[in-house]
Amino acid sequence: MNSSTCMYDCSSLVRLGSSSSSRSDQETWRLLYDRQCQMLEGRACQEFVEAVQKIQPLIYNLPNLELLSEQLYSYSGWRIFPVDGLVPSDDFFNLIGNRYFPVATFIRSGEDLDYSPLPDMWHDIFGHLPLLFNSSVYREFLENIAREIYQASDPDYKKTLENLFWYTIESGVCQENGELRVYGSSQLSSFNEISYALSEQVTVVPLEEVDIGIFSINIHTVQTTIFKIPCFDYLGQIDFKLLSK
């Protein structure tokens, strides 16, 4: 697949970290980090658990995005692209398809740890970056689906791909040693959602058995239906072209 053209000058990064963030932001980050790590065992997929342990020195405190981006690039060939808020869909997928991961430059309030109206730095870094550091399967799937979405011209095919992105990268679960484990970033970064996703309140459907394009997405509520894959590495076996038939 030919790479799409990246329209951004990504040469400079916002410095967000110990010297340029408030004390309250740093304290919020540590609270989020400490309590979420307590929720991972027996819930998060092993690839994610190992990844968090691997990069713990980089993300234990509120990171400096410039330094974190340099480390990410040295491990994976990806870079961080700092954003102030939601990125238009085409721009978002164009960035990811060119190995720039958008990361918000703000963090939720310490008074409301369980909710951010927009994806914030906590969600973007803790939910996504460990697997970007640690898993070539995850990196390749993320890059390839983003390019496919960006280049798609058929509206129905594009919607199907966007749904697939949401129900895998953001809210996916996988089988692991006979148990369900979470690999979706929304659950991995949420104290409440990581437990909810594995509870009896949720309907779990095998991804390969459904037409993912017919489902709707509501980003402002927890997912009552989620889709499982046979194992984490199955992400590398998904054939996007089959979705267009």
Side-chain angles (χ1 to χ4, degrees):
M1 182 186 299
N2 294 328
S3 174
S4 53
T5 300
C6 186
M7 64 184 72
Y8 299 95
D9 174 10
C10 303
S11 59
S12 63
L13 284 167
V14 174
R15 291 181 180 270
L16 255 179
S18 58
S19 62
S20 58
S21 54
S22 70
R23 187 179 187 87
S24 63
D25 285 345
Q26 295 176 48
E27 291 172 351
T28 296
W29 182 274
R30 285 290 297 276
L31 282 171
L32 288 165
Y33 183 92
D34 288 341
R35 73 173 195 161
Q36 198 64 22
C37 283
Q38 296 174 14
M39 300 296 289
L40 299 182
E41 193 66 36
R43 298 182 179 93
C45 68
Q46 190 61 29
E47 287 83 358
F48 186 82
V49 173
E50 292 175 357
V52 170
Q53 294 170 349
K54 178 178 181 179
I55 68 168
Q56 188 262 0
L58 300 176
I59 63 171
Y60 181 58
N61 294 304
L62 181 63
N64 177 303
L65 292 188
E66 182 175 22
L67 298 178
L68 187 60
S69 185
E70 290 173 358
Q71 290 294 319
L72 178 62
Y73 183 74
S74 69
Y75 271 93
S76 66
W78 284 66
R79 293 182 174 90
I80 286 171
F81 187 88
V83 296
D84 294 330
L86 281 178
V87 180
S89 178
D90 276 352
D91 294 351
F92 177 78
F93 290 117
N94 185 35
L95 281 165
I96 293 177
N98 286 277
R99 301 183 182 178
Y100 288 96
F101 195 83
V103 171
T105 58
F106 60 90
I107 187 171
R108 68 196 64 185
S109 165
E111 298 176 355
D112 200 355
L113 296 178
D114 295 321
Y115 179 72
S116 175
L118 297 173
D120 66 342
M121 187 191 295
W122 167 253
H123 165 83
D124 291 340
I125 289 179
F126 192 86
H128 290 282
L129 260 64
L131 289 174
L132 275 176
F133 269 94
N134 204 47
S135 172
S136 60
V137 170
Y138 184 86
R139 290 193 297 267
E140 290 170 10
F141 177 77
L142 186 60
E143 178 182 352
N144 290 338
I145 193 172
R147 287 184 179 179
E148 193 75 10
I149 292 170
Y150 182 74
Q151 295 172 355
S153 57
D154 179 79
D156 292 335
Y157 179 48
K158 194 179 190 79
K159 178 180 182 295
T160 297
L161 289 168
E162 290 173 340
N163 280 10
L164 179 63
F165 181 95
W166 175 261
Y167 286 118
T168 53
I169 295 298
E170 290 292 339
S171 60
V173 296
C174 62
Q175 289 289 134
E176 182 179 285
N177 299 323
E179 303 287 343
L180 275 184
R181 295 291 182 264
V182 169
Y183 70 90
S185 62
S186 291
Q187 293 102 326
L188 290 171
S189 61
S190 170
F191 186 81
N192 293 324
E193 285 189 52
I194 194 170
S195 294
Y196 179 82
L198 302 178
S199 73
E200 295 182 355
Q201 297 173 269
V202 176
T203 301
V204 181
V205 181
L207 179 68
E208 66 270 24
E209 296 180 6
V210 298
D211 176 2
I212 199 71
I214 68 174
F215 291 87
S216 59
I217 295 171
N218 186 341
I219 66 172
H220 300 297
T221 64
V222 295
Q223 307 305 304
T224 56
T225 301
I226 58 177
F227 301 89
K228 69 177 180 179
I229 54 178
C231 63
F232 181 80
D233 285 348
Y234 182 82
L235 287 174
Q237 303 173 33
I238 296 174
D239 186 344
F240 304 136
K241 292 303 181 185
L242 295 178
L243 300 174
S244 63
K245 296 182 179 180

Coordinates of all heavy atoms in Angstrom, one line a residue, residues 141 145 156-169 171-172 183 205-217 223 225-229 238-240 242-245:
F141 N -1.2 -2.9 12.6 CA -2.6 -2.8 12.4 C -3.1 -1.3 12.5 O -3.9 -0.9 11.6 CB -3.4 -3.6 13.5 CG -4.9 -3.5 13.4 CD1 -5.6 -4.2 12.5 CD2 -5.6 -2.7 14.3 CE1 -7.0 -4.2 12.4 CE2 -6.9 -2.6 14.2 CZ -7.6 -3.4 13.3
I145 N -4.8 0.3 9.2 CA -6.3 0.6 9.1 C -6.4 2.2 9.0 O -7.4 2.6 8.3 CB -7.0 0.1 10.4 CG1 -8.5 0.2 10.2 CG2 -6.6 0.9 11.7 CD1 -9.3 -0.4 11.2
D156 N -19.7 3.7 2.6 CA -20.1 2.5 3.4 C -18.9 1.8 3.9 O -18.8 1.3 5.0 CB -21.0 1.6 2.6 CG -22.4 2.2 2.4 OD1 -22.8 3.1 3.2 OD2 -23.0 1.8 1.4
Y157 N -17.9 1.6 3.0 CA -16.6 1.0 3.3 C -15.9 1.8 4.4 O -15.3 1.2 5.4 CB -15.8 0.8 2.1 CG -14.5 0.1 2.3 CD1 -14.4 -1.1 3.1 CD2 -13.3 0.6 1.8 CE1 -13.1 -1.7 3.3 CE2 -12.1 0.0 1.9 CZ -12.0 -1.1 2.7 OH -10.8 -1.7 2.9
K158 N -15.9 3.1 4.2 CA -15.2 4.0 5.2 C -15.8 3.8 6.6 O -15.1 3.7 7.6 CB -15.3 5.4 4.7 CG -14.3 6.4 5.4 CD -14.4 7.8 4.9 CE -13.3 8.7 5.4 NZ -12.1 8.5 4.7
K159 N -17.2 3.8 6.6 CA -17.9 3.7 7.9 C -17.5 2.3 8.6 O -17.3 2.3 9.8 CB -19.4 3.8 7.7 CG -20.2 3.6 9.0 CD -21.7 3.8 8.8 CE -22.5 3.6 10.1 NZ -22.4 2.3 10.7
T160 N -17.5 1.3 7.8 CA -17.2 0.0 8.3 C -15.8 0.0 8.9 O -15.6 -0.6 10.0 CB -17.3 -1.1 7.2 OG1 -18.6 -1.2 6.7 CG2 -16.8 -2.5 7.7
L161 N -14.8 0.6 8.2 CA -13.5 0.6 8.7 C -13.4 1.5 10.0 O -12.7 1.1 10.9 CB -12.5 1.3 7.7 CG -12.2 0.4 6.4 CD1 -11.5 1.2 5.4 CD2 -11.3 -0.8 6.8
E162 N -14.1 2.6 10.0 CA -14.1 3.4 11.2 C -14.7 2.7 12.4 O -14.2 2.8 13.6 CB -14.9 4.7 11.0 CG -14.1 5.7 10.0 CD -14.9 6.9 9.6 OE1 -16.1 6.9 9.8 OE2 -14.3 7.9 9.2
N163 N -15.8 1.9 12.2 CA -16.3 1.0 13.2 C -15.3 0.0 13.7 O -15.2 -0.3 14.9 CB -17.6 0.3 12.7 CG -18.8 1.2 12.7 OD1 -18.7 2.4 12.9 ND2 -20.0 0.6 12.5
L164 N -14.6 -0.6 12.7 CA -13.6 -1.6 13.1 C -12.5 -1.0 13.9 O -12.1 -1.6 14.9 CB -13.0 -2.2 11.8 CG -11.9 -3.2 12.0 CD1 -12.4 -4.5 12.8 CD2 -11.3 -3.7 10.7
F165 N -12.1 0.2 13.6 CA -11.1 1.0 14.4 C -11.6 1.1 15.8 O -10.9 0.9 16.8 CB -10.8 2.3 13.8 CG -9.8 3.1 14.5 CD1 -8.5 3.1 14.1 CD2 -10.1 4.0 15.5 CE1 -7.5 3.8 14.8 CE2 -9.2 4.7 16.2 CZ -7.9 4.6 15.8
W166 N -12.9 1.6 16.0 CA -13.4 1.9 17.3 C -13.5 0.6 18.1 O -13.1 0.5 19.3 CB -14.8 2.5 17.2 CG -15.4 2.7 18.5 CD1 -16.4 1.9 19.1 CD2 -15.1 3.7 19.5 NE1 -16.7 2.4 20.3 CE2 -16.0 3.5 20.6 CE3 -14.3 4.8 19.5 CZ2 -15.9 4.3 21.7 CZ3 -14.2 5.6 20.6 CH2 -15.1 5.3 21.7
Y167 N -14.1 -0.5 17.5 CA -14.3 -1.7 18.2 C -13.1 -2.6 18.4 O -13.2 -3.7 19.0 CB -15.5 -2.5 17.6 CG -16.8 -1.8 17.8 CD1 -17.6 -1.3 16.8 CD2 -17.3 -1.7 19.1 CE1 -18.8 -0.7 17.0 CE2 -18.6 -1.1 19.4 CZ -19.3 -0.6 18.3 OH -20.5 0.0 18.6
T168 N -12.0 -2.2 17.9 CA -10.7 -2.9 18.2 C -9.8 -1.9 19.0 O -9.6 -2.1 20.2 CB -10.0 -3.3 16.9 OG1 -9.9 -2.2 16.0 CG2 -10.8 -4.4 16.2
I169 N -9.3 -0.9 18.3 CA -8.3 -0.1 19.0 C -8.8 0.6 20.2 O -8.1 0.8 21.2 CB -7.8 1.0 18.0 CG1 -7.0 0.3 16.8 CG2 -6.9 2.1 18.7 CD1 -5.8 -0.4 17.3
S171 N -12.0 -0.1 21.9 CA -12.8 -0.9 22.9 C -12.8 -2.4 22.6 O -13.8 -3.1 22.8 CB -14.3 -0.4 22.8 OG -14.8 -0.5 21.5
G172 N -11.6 -2.9 22.2 CA -11.5 -4.3 21.9 C -11.2 -5.2 23.0 O -10.5 -4.8 24.0
Y183 N -7.9 -5.0 25.4 CA -6.7 -4.4 24.7 C -7.2 -3.0 24.2 O -6.3 -2.3 23.6 CB -6.1 -5.2 23.6 CG -7.0 -5.4 22.4 CD1 -7.0 -4.5 21.3 CD2 -7.9 -6.5 22.4 CE1 -7.8 -4.7 20.2 CE2 -8.8 -6.6 21.2 CZ -8.7 -5.8 20.2 OH -9.5 -5.9 19.1
V205 N -19.5 -10.3 21.4 CA -19.7 -11.0 20.1 C -18.4 -11.2 19.4 O -17.5 -10.3 19.3 CB -20.6 -10.1 19.2 CG1 -20.9 -10.7 17.9 CG2 -21.9 -9.7 20.0
P206 N -18.2 -12.4 18.9 CA -17.0 -12.6 18.1 C -16.9 -11.7 16.9 O -17.9 -11.6 16.1 CB -17.1 -14.1 17.6 CG -18.0 -14.7 18.7 CD -19.0 -13.6 19.0
L207 N -15.8 -11.0 16.7 CA -15.7 -10.0 15.6 C -15.9 -10.6 14.3 O -16.5 -10.0 13.4 CB -14.3 -9.3 15.7 CG -14.0 -8.3 14.7 CD1 -14.9 -7.0 14.9 CD2 -12.6 -7.9 14.8
E208 N -15.3 -11.8 14.1 CA -15.4 -12.4 12.7 C -16.7 -12.9 12.3 O -16.9 -13.3 11.1 CB -14.3 -13.6 12.6 CG -14.6 -14.8 13.5 CD -14.1 -14.7 14.9 OE1 -13.8 -13.6 15.4 OE2 -13.8 -15.8 15.5
E209 N -17.7 -12.9 13.2 CA -19.0 -13.4 12.9 C -20.1 -12.3 12.6 O -21.2 -12.6 12.3 CB -19.6 -14.2 14.1 CG -18.7 -15.5 14.4 CD -19.3 -16.3 15.5 OE1 -20.4 -15.9 16.1 OE2 -18.6 -17.3 15.9
V210 N -19.7 -11.1 12.6 CA -20.6 -10.0 12.4 C -20.2 -9.0 11.2 O -19.0 -9.0 10.9 CB -20.8 -9.2 13.7 CG1 -21.3 -10.0 14.8 CG2 -19.5 -8.5 14.1
D211 N -21.2 -8.3 10.7 CA -20.9 -7.2 9.8 C -20.7 -5.9 10.7 O -21.7 -5.3 11.2 CB -22.1 -7.0 8.9 CG -21.9 -5.8 8.0 OD1 -20.9 -5.1 8.0 OD2 -22.8 -5.5 7.1
I212 N -19.5 -5.6 11.0 CA -19.2 -4.5 11.9 C -19.8 -3.2 11.5 O -20.0 -2.3 12.3 CB -17.7 -4.5 12.2 CG1 -17.4 -3.7 13.5 CG2 -17.0 -3.8 11.0 CD1 -17.8 -4.5 14.7
G213 N -20.0 -3.0 10.2 CA -20.5 -1.8 9.7 C -21.9 -1.4 10.1 O -22.3 -0.2 10.0
I214 N -22.7 -2.3 10.5 CA -24.1 -2.0 10.8 C -24.3 -1.5 12.2 O -25.3 -1.0 12.6 CB -25.0 -3.3 10.6 CG1 -24.7 -4.3 11.7 CG2 -24.9 -3.8 9.2 CD1 -25.6 -5.5 11.7
F215 N -23.2 -1.5 13.0 CA -23.4 -1.1 14.4 C -23.1 0.4 14.5 O -22.4 1.0 13.7 CB -22.4 -1.9 15.3 CG -22.7 -3.3 15.4 CD1 -22.3 -4.2 14.5 CD2 -23.5 -3.7 16.5 CE1 -22.6 -5.6 14.7 CE2 -23.9 -5.1 16.6 CZ -23.4 -6.0 15.7
S216 N -23.7 1.0 15.5 CA -23.5 2.4 15.8 C -22.5 2.6 16.9 O -22.2 1.7 17.6 CB -24.9 3.1 16.2 OG -25.4 2.5 17.3
I217 N -22.0 3.8 17.0 CA -21.0 4.2 18.0 C -21.4 5.4 18.7 O -21.8 6.4 18.2 CB -19.6 4.5 17.3 CG1 -19.1 3.2 16.6 CG2 -18.6 5.0 18.3 CD1 -17.8 3.5 15.7
Q223 N -19.6 1.0 26.4 CA -20.1 0.1 25.4 C -20.9 -1.1 26.0 O -20.3 -1.8 26.8 CB -18.9 -0.4 24.5 CG -18.0 0.7 24.0 CD -18.8 1.7 23.2 OE1 -19.4 1.4 22.2 NE2 -18.7 3.0 23.6
T225 N -22.2 -3.4 24.0 CA -21.8 -4.6 23.1 C -20.4 -4.3 22.7 O -20.0 -3.3 22.2 CB -22.7 -4.6 21.8 OG1 -24.1 -4.8 22.2 CG2 -22.3 -5.8 20.9
I226 N -19.5 -5.4 22.9 CA -18.2 -5.3 22.4 C -17.8 -6.5 21.6 O -18.6 -7.5 21.7 CB -17.2 -5.1 23.6 CG1 -17.3 -6.3 24.6 CG2 -17.4 -3.8 24.3 CD1 -16.4 -6.2 25.8
F227 N -16.7 -6.5 20.9 CA -16.4 -7.5 20.0 C -15.0 -8.1 20.3 O -14.0 -7.4 20.5 CB -16.4 -7.0 18.6 CG -17.7 -6.4 18.2 CD1 -18.0 -5.1 18.5 CD2 -18.7 -7.2 17.6 CE1 -19.2 -4.5 18.2 CE2 -19.9 -6.7 17.3 CZ -20.2 -5.3 17.6
K228 N -15.0 -9.4 20.4 CA -13.8 -10.1 20.8 C -13.1 -10.8 19.6 O -13.7 -11.1 18.6 CB -14.1 -11.2 21.8 CG -14.8 -12.4 21.3 CD -15.0 -13.5 22.4 CE -15.8 -14.7 21.8 NZ -16.0 -15.7 22.9
I229 N -11.7 -10.8 19.7 CA -10.9 -11.5 18.7 C -10.3 -12.7 19.4 O -10.2 -12.8 20.6 CB -9.9 -10.6 18.1 CG1 -9.0 -10.0 19.1 CG2 -10.6 -9.5 17.2 CD1 -7.9 -9.1 18.6
I238 N -6.4 -9.6 10.1 CA -7.7 -9.0 9.6 C -7.4 -8.5 8.2 O -6.5 -7.7 8.0 CB -8.2 -7.9 10.5 CG1 -8.6 -8.5 11.9 CG2 -9.4 -7.2 9.9 CD1 -9.0 -7.4 12.9
D239 N -8.2 -8.9 7.3 CA -8.1 -8.5 5.9 C -9.2 -7.4 5.6 O -10.4 -7.7 5.5 CB -8.4 -9.7 4.9 CG -8.1 -9.4 3.5 OD1 -8.1 -8.2 3.1 OD2 -8.0 -10.3 2.7
F240 N -8.8 -6.2 5.5 CA -9.7 -5.1 5.3 C -10.5 -5.2 4.0 O -11.7 -4.9 4.0 CB -9.0 -3.7 5.3 CG -8.1 -3.5 6.4 CD1 -6.8 -2.9 6.3 CD2 -8.6 -3.7 7.7 CE1 -6.0 -2.7 7.4 CE2 -7.8 -3.5 8.8 CZ -6.5 -3.0 8.7
L242 N -11.9 -7.7 2.7 CA -13.0 -8.6 2.9 C -14.2 -7.8 3.4 O -15.4 -8.2 3.2 CB -12.7 -9.8 3.8 CG -11.7 -10.8 3.2 CD1 -11.4 -11.8 4.3 CD2 -12.1 -11.4 1.9
L243 N -13.9 -6.7 4.1 CA -15.0 -5.9 4.7 C -15.8 -5.1 3.7 O -16.9 -4.7 3.9 CB -14.4 -4.9 5.7 CG -13.7 -5.5 6.9 CD1 -13.0 -4.4 7.7 CD2 -14.6 -6.4 7.8
S244 N -15.2 -5.0 2.5 CA -15.9 -4.2 1.4 C -16.9 -5.0 0.6 O -17.6 -4.4 -0.2 CB -14.8 -3.6 0.5 OG -14.1 -4.6 -0.2
K245 N -16.9 -6.3 0.9 CA -17.8 -7.2 0.1 C -19.2 -7.3 0.7 O -19.3 -7.2 1.9 CB -17.1 -8.5 -0.1 CG -15.8 -8.4 -0.9 CD -15.2 -9.8 -1.1 CE -13.9 -9.7 -1.9 NZ -13.3 -11.1 -2.1

